[in-house]
Amino acid sequence: MKIIDAHSHLWLRQDTSWDGKPIRSLKNGRSIFLGEEVQMMPPFIIDSQNSAEVFLSNMDYAQVGAAVVVQEFIDGLQNDYLETVQKQCPDRFLCCGMADYRQPGFFAQAQELIEQRGFRGIAIPGHRLRNQGDRSLDTLGTSDHGPVPLISDEMMRMFHLMEQKNVVLSITLEDGDRQVGELREVISECPGLRIAIGHLGMANPPQTPCWENPSWRRQMALAQHAHVMIEMGGITWLYNAEFYPFPSAIRAIREAIDIAGADKLMWGSDYPRTITAITYRMSYDFILKSSELSDADKRLILGENALRFYGFTALPELPYIKNMSE
């Protein structure tokens, strides 16, 4: 079975802030996150560098052939490092660049990322574009304007360029319907733009089932458009309180299949944050071992959809390596 991770993160150091609170790498996998010390990565990553080399070791062990690397404001801009990773490992990684969308003039940044630096994807943490309280994004500058609409003139210029250059949009939408309507307009204006909507629409935890949320269902329905996919990066984090084998996460996946179809869903790990609680293999193993999904659905979700959508080629053969304890 071909396995591809559609949502992961890499950085050598976190050094930014959000909503006026610091985010800084410490040691032993820990970070200051919004003013609080947290275990950002497993404690054996003692230098706290979330490097491609360590990720590749995890991928090889878990038999994951390739991964999409996205970006988030809370990690700071990582374009320089990800450009290097993309050049060194083009068959294993598709890295997404990110511009400072909170500052006017970001189109020029995006254009450089695409045309000069060769990024095959652009990431937008759309759920953070409404944050008006932040005034101290160390690596992103500061913002004195309000929410950034996805249908602003500058955003639309960028989306048209991405459609023209066949660059993937990786985007996470905020809860509710506002950005669903905006993204629907983007799809109408740029019907050829390939779009991956992240985090399974931020599927709600078990106490408020996402399948009972009309806004979530409308977000899933966006994937009924020809070039729109849903990736489920971080679903084990969303259902962390329930823990392995995440039965409500399986229910959410089944509901998404009913709405959009199994051919529109892609597994994602949200590496490395999720593997402080579980192993990397466990982040997809709960899907592989579920009796509530067909073998055909598992093959599509775990790899075949991402292989087709992102255009990965020449995936390595990764044999199963038996654990010493087996």
Side-chain angles (χ1 to χ4, degrees), residues 104-126:
F106 64 79
F107 173 81
Q109 299 174 40
Q111 187 174 32
E112 179 189 7
L113 292 171
I114 295 168
E115 296 183 346
Q116 277 75 55
R117 303 179 68 171
F119 281 98
R120 294 182 284 162
I122 293 292
I124 298 181

Side-chain angles (χ1 to χ4, degrees), residues 46-57:
I46 58 176
D47 61 2
S48 292
Q49 289 192 357
N50 176 27
S51 69
E53 290 79 9
V54 172
F55 190 21
L56 279 170
S57 181

Side-chain angles (χ1 to χ4, degrees), residues 23-41:
I23 302 168
R24 302 280 188 277
S25 294
L26 299 175
K27 61 180 181 177
N28 300 334
R30 298 180 183 180
S31 293
I32 295 295
F33 181 69
L34 304 180
E36 177 185 12
E37 185 171 339
V38 300
Q39 194 71 47
M40 184 68 67
M41 297 179 288

Side-chain angles (χ1 to χ4, degrees), residues 6-278:
H7 188 117
S8 64
H9 300 274
L10 291 174
W11 62 78
L12 291 184
R13 181 170 178 79
Q14 292 175 311
D15 186 10
T16 186
S17 60
W18 184 258
D19 203 16
K21 298 176 182 178
I23 302 168
R24 302 280 188 277
S25 294
L26 299 175
K27 61 180 181 177
N28 300 334
R30 298 180 183 180
S31 293
I32 295 295
F33 181 69
L34 304 180
E36 177 185 12
E37 185 171 339
V38 300
Q39 194 71 47
M40 184 68 67
M41 297 179 288
F44 52 76
I45 304 180
I46 58 176
D47 61 2
S48 292
Q49 289 192 357
N50 176 27
S51 69
E53 290 79 9
V54 172
F55 190 21
L56 279 170
S57 181
N58 274 281
M59 290 167 62
D60 289 351
Y61 171 74
Q63 299 174 282
V64 175
V68 179
V69 182
V70 303
Q71 295 197 56
E72 240 278 24
F73 285 148
I74 60 173
D75 298 323
L77 289 174
Q78 301 293 333
N79 294 319
D80 291 344
Y81 180 53
L82 295 188
E83 182 181 5
T84 300
V85 170
Q86 185 71 85
K87 289 178 179 177
Q88 292 177 342
C89 306
D91 294 331
R92 300 299 299 273
F93 293 117
L94 188 153
C95 296
C96 294
M98 186 172 72
D100 177 4
Y101 311 112
R102 295 174 55 82
Q103 293 296 319
F106 64 79
F107 173 81
Q109 299 174 40
Q111 187 174 32
E112 179 189 7
L113 292 171
I114 295 168
E115 296 183 346
Q116 277 75 55
R117 303 179 68 171
F119 281 98
R120 294 182 284 162
I122 293 292
I124 298 181
H127 59 309
R128 302 198 188 275
L129 294 181
R130 281 185 64 85
N131 188 332
Q132 300 180 62
D134 185 53
R135 294 294 181 269
S136 57
L137 291 172
D138 293 355
T139 60
L140 297 175
T142 59
S143 175
D144 293 322
H145 54 77
V148 182
L150 298 176
I151 54 175
S152 70
D153 291 343
E154 196 165 16
M155 279 285 188
M156 293 306 299
R157 278 186 70 200
M158 183 178 75
F159 294 145
H160 279 292
L161 175 66
M162 293 171 63
E163 182 183 30
Q164 175 189 347
K165 299 293 185 179
N166 197 27
V167 171
V168 174
L169 169 62
S170 173
I171 186 168
T172 298
L173 301 181
E174 65 183 44
D175 294 338
D177 287 339
R178 185 185 69 88
Q179 287 184 317
V180 171
E182 289 182 359
L183 191 58
R184 191 178 293 115
E185 290 190 44
V186 173
I187 295 167
S188 177
E189 183 76 16
C190 303
L193 176 63
R194 290 183 293 154
I195 302 172
I197 299 172
H199 294 302
L200 198 69
M202 296 298 284
N204 306 82
Q207 60 268 27
T208 53
C210 60
W211 46 87
E212 296 178 4
N213 183 339
S215 296
W216 180 81
R217 300 185 72 86
R218 282 190 283 271
Q219 192 170 147
M220 293 300 97
L222 289 171
Q224 294 171 358
H225 293 273
H227 298 291
V228 181
M229 302 287 284
I230 304 289
E231 50 93 339
M232 56 188 71
I235 193 169
T236 60
W237 158 63
L238 293 169
Y239 291 94
N240 181 63
E242 189 177 71
F243 205 65
Y244 190 92
F246 309 106
S248 294
I250 293 293
R251 172 70 187 276
I253 293 170
R254 289 180 55 206
E255 294 287 340
I257 290 174
D258 288 344
I259 298 168
D263 61 334
K264 287 305 191 89
L265 301 183
M266 303 182 293
W267 165 72
S269 68
D270 209 7
Y271 177 99
R273 293 183 244 274
T274 49
I275 64 166
T276 56
I278 58 175

